[in-house]
Amino acid sequence: MPRRPRLDLPGVSQHLIQRGNDRQPCFFADIDRVRYLHDLRELARTHDCQVHAYVLMTNHVHLLLSPARVRAVSALMQSLGRRYVRYFNDRYQRTGTLWEGRYRSCLVDSEDYLLRCYRYIELNPVRAGMVVDPADYPWSSHGANALGRPDPLVQPHPRYLALERDDDTRRAVYRSLVTRGLEPTEVEEIRRAMGTQRALGSDDFREDIQRRLGRRVAPGRPGRPRKQKPKPGSECNFPLESLRTPQASRHEIAL
């Protein structure tokens, strides 16, 4: 079955996750994380992508970025994956793949949903029980976005900049948002959008993306399709058995 084309539009942010193969570690030491971030910064510049938020966990990576052109994210992740795998295999004298197939991604609405993704990503180490405060985890964008630590990789999104004009005040507002955390329903909504690789946002956002791409961008309703009532006068007046063939089965129609 052919792969479904990714949802991809220039200027529309994407939240993506890439996992280690079979959930195995993709970082063994701090030098590995330094190398990954160095390559990510260089390739993001090469492929015209701005990185707004990130976190490097032991066996997976979250990124929030905005591409300037179509397929820029795919080109970035392909180049980054190959470059880092070569480094990783050489350093640890191993062969074979490192990543668990293709990365997963979803488009993100630039309104409230984008800042939710910021927080979802930077709170990952807290949810994993690695730290109590995201400021204590050095391998994320939280130091730059919340504390003003220098990080040449991080480029602020206009929605983040709109929190406040003054840098210090903006960071204080963002810290309060992070401290507030996310509702369980918000976490589940982000995970569901990532799992289905659809669009995360309002109905208006999804309708706009659907119109621009000419394809469905929201997950369908769970369960079986609702049965349609027959129209008056359309009732069948002959036995249904006459429609059956010897090869037919009760599973013959897949909707």
Side-chain angles (χ1 to χ4, degrees), residues 103-251:
Y103 67 88
R104 289 183 169 271
S105 64
C106 69
L107 300 182
V108 182
D109 191 341
S110 62
E111 294 302 320
D112 293 342
Y113 293 87
L114 185 116
L115 290 178
R116 291 179 197 176
C117 283
Y118 262 79
R119 289 176 283 159
Y120 178 89
I121 290 170
E122 295 178 359
L123 284 168
N124 225 40
V126 177
R127 288 194 301 274
M130 302 172 72
V131 295
V132 175
D133 188 330
D136 296 330
Y137 193 76
W139 305 108
S140 85
S141 54
H142 187 77
N145 290 325
L147 305 172
R149 293 173 184 165
D151 189 335
L153 174 60
V154 177
Q155 301 293 318
H157 189 277
R159 183 66 185 85
Y160 167 83
L161 293 175
L163 287 173
E164 286 290 344
R165 292 184 178 181
D166 176 75
D167 290 346
D168 291 338
T169 308
R170 183 189 310 117
R171 287 192 285 266
V173 171
Y174 180 70
R175 286 196 300 272
S176 69
L177 289 175
V178 174
T179 301
R180 189 188 311 167
L182 293 166
E183 296 294 331
T185 54
E186 294 174 330
V187 172
E188 178 58 30
E189 188 175 18
I190 292 172
R191 289 174 174 169
R192 185 169 59 250
M194 183 64 70
T196 58
Q197 301 195 74
R198 301 288 189 175
L200 174 67
S202 66
D203 290 341
D204 288 343
F205 172 75
R206 289 196 293 262
E207 288 174 4
D208 178 61
I209 297 300
Q210 183 167 301
R211 176 183 56 79
R212 294 167 65 181
L213 291 178
R215 53 180 288 201
R216 194 180 73 179
V217 300
R221 294 181 180 275
R224 295 183 177 180
R226 184 177 300 176
K227 292 183 177 180
Q228 299 293 327
K229 294 182 180 180
K231 296 180 180 180
S234 64
E235 292 83 356
C236 182
N237 295 318
F238 49 88
L240 292 178
E241 286 75 6
S242 64
L243 296 178
R244 299 185 184 276
T245 62
Q247 294 79 21
S249 72
R250 61 191 178 122
H251 301 298

